Coordinates of all heavy atoms in Angstrom, one line a residue:
R226 N -6.6 -7.7 13.5 CA -5.6 -6.8 12.9 C -6.0 -5.3 12.9 O -5.2 -4.4 13.1 CB -5.2 -7.3 11.5 CG -4.4 -8.6 11.6 CD -4.3 -9.3 10.2 NE -3.5 -8.6 9.2 CZ -2.2 -8.8 9.1 NH1 -1.5 -9.6 9.9 NH2 -1.5 -8.2 8.1
I227 N -7.3 -5.1 12.5 CA -7.8 -3.7 12.5 C -7.7 -3.2 13.9 O -7.3 -2.0 14.1 CB -9.2 -3.7 11.9 CG1 -9.2 -4.1 10.4 CG2 -9.8 -2.3 12.1 CD1 -10.6 -4.2 9.8
K228 N -8.2 -4.0 14.9 CA -8.1 -3.5 16.3 C -6.7 -3.2 16.7 O -6.5 -2.2 17.4 CB -8.8 -4.5 17.2 CG -10.3 -4.6 17.1 CD -11.0 -5.4 18.2 CE -10.9 -6.9 17.9 NZ -11.7 -7.7 18.9
T229 N -5.8 -4.0 16.3 CA -4.4 -3.7 16.7 C -3.9 -2.4 16.0 O -3.2 -1.6 16.7 CB -3.5 -4.9 16.2 OG1 -3.9 -6.1 16.8 CG2 -2.0 -4.6 16.5
V230 N -4.2 -2.3 14.7 CA -3.8 -1.0 14.1 C -4.4 0.2 14.8 O -3.7 1.2 15.0 CB -4.3 -1.1 12.6 CG1 -4.1 0.3 11.9 CG2 -3.5 -2.1 11.8
Q231 N -5.7 0.1 15.1 CA -6.4 1.2 15.8 C -5.7 1.5 17.2 O -5.5 2.6 17.6 CB -7.8 0.9 16.0 CG -8.6 0.9 14.6 CD -10.1 0.7 14.8 OE1 -10.8 1.3 14.0 NE2 -10.5 -0.1 15.7
D232 N -5.3 0.4 17.9 CA -4.6 0.6 19.1 C -3.2 1.3 18.9 O -2.9 2.2 19.7 CB -4.3 -0.7 19.8 CG -5.6 -1.3 20.4 OD1 -6.6 -0.6 20.5 OD2 -5.6 -2.5 20.7
V233 N -2.5 0.9 18.0 CA -1.2 1.5 17.7 C -1.3 3.0 17.3 O -0.6 3.8 17.8 CB -0.4 0.7 16.6 CG1 0.9 1.5 16.2 CG2 -0.1 -0.7 17.1
L234 N -2.3 3.2 16.4 CA -2.4 4.6 15.9 C -3.2 5.5 16.8 O -3.2 6.7 16.7 CB -3.2 4.6 14.5 CG -2.4 3.9 13.4 CD1 -3.3 3.9 12.1 CD2 -1.1 4.4 13.1
E235 N -3.9 4.8 17.8 CA -4.7 5.6 18.8 C -5.8 6.4 18.1 O -6.0 7.5 18.4 CB -3.8 6.5 19.6 CG -2.8 5.7 20.4 CD -1.9 6.6 21.3 OE1 -1.0 7.3 20.8 OE2 -2.1 6.6 22.6
R236 N -6.4 5.8 17.1 CA -7.5 6.4 16.4 C -8.3 5.3 15.6 O -7.7 4.3 15.3 CB -7.1 7.5 15.4 CG -6.2 6.9 14.3 CD -6.2 7.9 13.1 NE -5.4 9.1 13.4 CZ -5.4 10.2 12.6 NH1 -6.2 10.2 11.6 NH2 -4.6 11.2 12.9
K237 N -9.5 5.6 15.4 CA -10.3 4.6 14.5 C -9.8 4.8 13.1 O -9.5 5.9 12.7 CB -11.8 4.9 14.6 CG -12.5 4.2 15.7 CD -14.0 4.2 15.5 CE -14.7 3.4 16.6 NZ -16.2 3.4 16.4
I238 N -9.9 3.7 12.3 CA -9.6 3.8 10.9 C -10.9 3.4 10.2 O -11.8 2.9 10.7 CB -8.5 2.9 10.5 CG1 -8.9 1.4 10.6 CG2 -7.2 3.2 11.4 CD1 -7.8 0.5 10.0
A239 N -10.9 3.8 8.9 CA -12.0 3.5 8.0 C -11.5 2.4 7.0 O -10.5 2.6 6.4 CB -12.6 4.7 7.3
I240 N -12.3 1.3 6.8 CA -11.9 0.3 5.9 C -12.7 0.5 4.6 O -13.9 0.8 4.7 CB -11.9 -1.1 6.4 CG1 -13.3 -1.5 6.9 CG2 -10.9 -1.3 7.5 CD1 -13.6 -2.9 7.2
E241 N -12.1 0.2 3.5 CA -12.7 0.4 2.2 C -13.2 -0.9 1.6 O -12.4 -1.9 1.5 CB -11.8 1.1 1.2 CG -12.5 1.3 -0.2 CD -11.5 1.9 -1.2 OE1 -10.3 2.2 -0.8 OE2 -11.9 2.1 -2.3
I242 N -14.4 -1.0 1.1 CA -14.9 -2.1 0.3 C -14.2 -2.0 -1.0 O -14.3 -1.0 -1.7 CB -16.4 -2.0 0.1 CG1 -17.2 -2.1 1.4 CG2 -16.9 -3.2 -0.8 CD1 -18.6 -1.8 1.4
V243 N -13.4 -3.1 -1.4 CA -12.6 -3.0 -2.6 C -13.4 -3.7 -3.8 O -14.3 -4.5 -3.5 CB -11.3 -3.7 -2.4 CG1 -10.5 -3.0 -1.3 CG2 -11.5 -5.2 -2.1
S244 N -13.0 -3.4 -5.0 CA -13.5 -4.1 -6.1 C -12.8 -5.4 -6.3 O -11.6 -5.5 -5.9 CB -13.3 -3.2 -7.4 OG -12.0 -2.9 -7.5
Y245 N -13.5 -6.4 -6.7 CA -12.8 -7.8 -6.9 C -13.5 -8.4 -8.1 O -14.6 -8.1 -8.5 CB -13.0 -8.6 -5.6 CG -14.4 -9.0 -5.3 CD1 -14.8 -10.3 -5.6 CD2 -15.3 -8.1 -4.7 CE1 -16.2 -10.7 -5.3 CE2 -16.6 -8.5 -4.4 CZ -17.0 -9.8 -4.7 OH -18.3 -10.1 -4.4
Y246 N -12.8 -9.4 -8.7 CA -13.3 -10.0 -9.9 C -13.6 -11.4 -9.8 O -14.2 -12.0 -10.8 CB -12.2 -9.7 -11.0 CG -12.0 -8.2 -11.1 CD1 -11.0 -7.6 -10.5 CD2 -12.9 -7.4 -11.7 CE1 -10.8 -6.2 -10.5 CE2 -12.8 -6.0 -11.7 CZ -11.7 -5.4 -11.1 OH -11.6 -4.0 -11.1
T247 N -13.3 -12.1 -8.7 CA -13.8 -13.4 -8.5 C -13.7 -13.7 -7.0 O -12.8 -13.3 -6.3 CB -12.9 -14.5 -9.2 OG1 -13.4 -15.8 -9.0 CG2 -11.4 -14.4 -8.7
P248 N -14.7 -14.3 -6.4 CA -14.7 -14.6 -5.0 C -13.8 -15.7 -4.7 O -13.5 -16.6 -5.6 CB -16.2 -15.0 -4.7 CG -16.8 -15.4 -6.0 CD -16.0 -14.6 -7.0
V249 N -13.2 -15.8 -3.5 CA -12.2 -16.8 -3.2 C -12.8 -17.7 -2.1 O -12.9 -17.2 -0.9 CB -10.9 -16.2 -2.8 CG1 -9.8 -17.3 -2.5 CG2 -10.4 -15.3 -3.8
A250 N -13.2 -18.9 -2.4 CA -13.7 -19.9 -1.4 C -14.6 -19.3 -0.4 O -14.4 -19.4 0.8 CB -12.4 -20.6 -0.7
P251 N -15.7 -18.7 -0.8 CA -16.6 -18.0 0.1 C -17.4 -18.9 1.0 O -18.0 -19.9 0.5 CB -17.5 -17.2 -0.8 CG -17.6 -18.0 -2.1 CD -16.2 -18.6 -2.2
E252 N -17.5 -18.6 2.3 CA -18.4 -19.2 3.2 C -19.6 -18.3 3.5 O -20.6 -18.7 3.9 CB -17.7 -19.5 4.6 CG -16.6 -20.6 4.4 CD -15.9 -20.7 5.8 OE1 -16.1 -20.0 6.7 OE2 -15.0 -21.6 5.8
L253 N -19.3 -17.0 3.4 CA -20.2 -15.9 3.6 C -20.5 -15.1 2.4 O -19.7 -15.1 1.5 CB -19.7 -15.0 4.7 CG -19.3 -15.6 6.0 CD1 -18.5 -14.5 6.9 CD2 -20.5 -16.1 6.8
S254 N -21.6 -14.4 2.4 CA -21.9 -13.5 1.3 C -21.0 -12.3 1.5 O -20.5 -12.0 2.6 CB -23.3 -13.1 1.3 OG -23.6 -12.3 2.4
E255 N -20.8 -11.5 0.5 CA -19.9 -10.3 0.6 C -20.4 -9.4 1.6 O -19.7 -8.9 2.5 CB -19.8 -9.6 -0.8 CG -18.9 -8.4 -0.8 CD -19.0 -7.6 -2.1 OE1 -19.7 -8.1 -3.0 OE2 -18.3 -6.6 -2.2
I256 N -21.7 -9.1 1.6 CA -22.3 -8.2 2.6 C -22.2 -8.7 4.0 O -21.8 -7.9 4.9 CB -23.8 -7.8 2.2 CG1 -24.3 -6.7 3.1 CG2 -24.7 -9.0 2.4 CD1 -23.6 -5.3 2.8
D257 N -22.4 -9.9 4.2 CA -22.3 -10.5 5.6 C -20.8 -10.5 6.0 O -20.5 -10.2 7.2 CB -22.8 -11.9 5.6 CG -24.3 -12.0 5.5 OD1 -25.0 -11.0 5.7 OD2 -24.8 -13.1 5.2
F258 N -19.9 -10.7 5.1 CA -18.5 -10.7 5.5 C -18.0 -9.3 5.9 O -17.4 -9.1 7.0 CB -17.6 -11.1 4.3 CG -16.2 -11.0 4.4 CD1 -15.5 -11.9 5.2 CD2 -15.4 -10.1 3.8 CE1 -14.1 -11.9 5.4 CE2 -14.1 -10.0 3.9 CZ -13.4 -10.9 4.7
I259 N -18.4 -8.2 5.1 CA -18.1 -6.9 5.4 C -18.7 -6.4 6.8 O -18.0 -5.9 7.6 CB -18.5 -6.0 4.3 CG1 -17.6 -6.2 3.1 CG2 -18.4 -4.5 4.7 CD1 -18.2 -5.6 1.8
N260 N -20.0 -6.7 6.9 CA -20.7 -6.3 8.1 C -20.1 -7.0 9.4 O -20.1 -6.3 10.5 CB -22.2 -6.5 8.0 CG -22.8 -5.5 7.1 OD1 -22.2 -4.4 6.7 ND2 -24.0 -5.8 6.6
A261 N -19.7 -8.2 9.3 CA -19.2 -8.9 10.4 C -17.9 -8.3 10.8 O -17.6 -8.1 12.0 CB -19.0 -10.4 10.0
I262 N -17.0 -7.9 9.9 CA -15.7 -7.3 10.2 C -15.9 -5.9 10.8 O -15.3 -5.6 11.9 CB -14.8 -7.2 8.9 CG1 -14.3 -8.5 8.5 CG2 -13.7 -6.2 9.2 CD1 -13.5 -8.6 7.3
L263 N -16.9 -5.1 10.3 CA -17.1 -3.8 10.9 C -17.6 -3.9 12.3 O -17.2 -3.2 13.2 CB -18.2 -3.1 10.0 CG -17.8 -2.6 8.6 CD1 -19.1 -2.2 7.8 CD2 -16.8 -1.5 8.7
E264 N -18.5 -4.9 12.6 CA -19.0 -5.1 13.9 C -17.9 -5.6 14.9 O -17.7 -5.1 16.0 CB -20.1 -6.1 13.9 CG -20.7 -6.4 15.2 CD -21.5 -5.3 15.8 OE1 -21.9 -4.4 15.1 OE2 -21.6 -5.2 17.1
E265 N -17.1 -6.6 14.4 CA -16.1 -7.3 15.2 C -15.0 -6.3 15.6 O -14.4 -6.3 16.7 CB -15.6 -8.5 14.6 CG -14.6 -9.3 15.3 CD -15.2 -10.3 16.3 OE1 -16.4 -10.5 16.1 OE2 -14.5 -10.8 17.2
A266 N -14.6 -5.5 14.5 CA -13.4 -4.6 14.7 C -13.8 -3.3 15.3 O -13.0 -2.5 15.8 CB -12.7 -4.4 13.4
D267 N -15.1 -3.0 15.2 CA -15.6 -1.6 15.7 C -14.9 -0.5 15.0 O -14.3 0.4 15.7 CB -15.5 -1.5 17.2 CG -16.3 -0.3 17.7 OD1 -17.1 0.2 17.0 OD2 -15.9 0.2 18.8
C268 N -14.8 -0.6 13.7 CA -14.1 0.4 12.9 C -15.1 1.2 12.0 O -16.3 0.8 12.0 CB -13.0 -0.2 12.1 SG -13.6 -1.4 10.8
D269 N -14.6 2.2 11.3 CA -15.5 2.9 10.4 C -15.4 2.3 9.0 O -14.6 1.5 8.7 CB -15.0 4.4 10.4 CG -15.3 5.1 11.7 OD1 -16.2 4.7 12.4 OD2 -14.6 6.2 11.9
L270 N -16.3 2.8 8.2 CA -16.4 2.3 6.8 C -16.1 3.5 5.8 O -16.7 4.5 5.9 CB -17.8 1.8 6.5 CG -18.1 1.3 5.1 CD1 -17.2 0.2 4.7 CD2 -19.6 0.9 4.9
L271 N -15.2 3.2 4.9 CA -15.0 4.1 3.7 C -15.9 3.4 2.6 O -15.5 2.3 2.1 CB -13.5 4.1 3.3 CG -13.1 5.2 2.3 CD1 -11.6 5.1 2.1 CD2 -13.8 5.1 1.0
L272 N -16.9 4.1 2.2 CA -17.8 3.6 1.3 C -17.4 4.1 -0.1 O -17.7 5.2 -0.5 CB -19.3 3.9 1.6 CG -20.4 3.4 0.6 CD1 -20.2 2.0 0.3 CD2 -21.7 3.7 1.2
D273 N -16.8 3.2 -0.9 CA -16.4 3.5 -2.3 C -17.6 3.2 -3.2 O -17.8 2.0 -3.5 CB -15.2 2.8 -2.7 CG -14.6 3.3 -4.0 OD1 -15.4 3.4 -5.0 OD2 -13.4 3.5 -4.1
V274 N -18.3 4.2 -3.6 CA -19.6 3.9 -4.3 C -19.3 3.3 -5.6 O -20.0 2.4 -6.1 CB -20.4 5.2 -4.4 CG1 -21.6 5.1 -5.3 CG2 -20.8 5.8 -3.0
N275 N -18.2 3.7 -6.3 CA -17.9 3.1 -7.6 C -17.6 1.6 -7.4 O -17.9 0.8 -8.3 CB -16.7 3.9 -8.2 CG -16.3 3.3 -9.6 OD1 -17.1 3.2 -10.5 ND2 -15.1 2.8 -9.6

Side-chain angles (χ1 to χ4, degrees):
R226 288 164 70 88
I227 293 172
K228 286 192 281 189
T229 299
V230 170
Q231 292 183 145
D232 288 344
V233 172
L234 297 182
E235 298 181 285
R236 63 162 74 194
K237 270 195 178 183
I238 69 171
I240 59 168
E241 179 186 1
I242 299 169
V243 298
S244 54
Y245 67 102
Y246 303 98
T247 182
V249 183
E252 296 174 354
L253 304 170
S254 67
E255 181 187 359
I256 188 69
D257 287 344
F258 177 73
I259 291 166
N260 286 344
I262 288 178
L263 290 169
E264 178 68 24
E265 184 84 14
D267 189 22
C268 62
D269 290 337
L270 174 64
L271 192 178
L272 179 47
D273 190 314
V274 173
N275 180 60

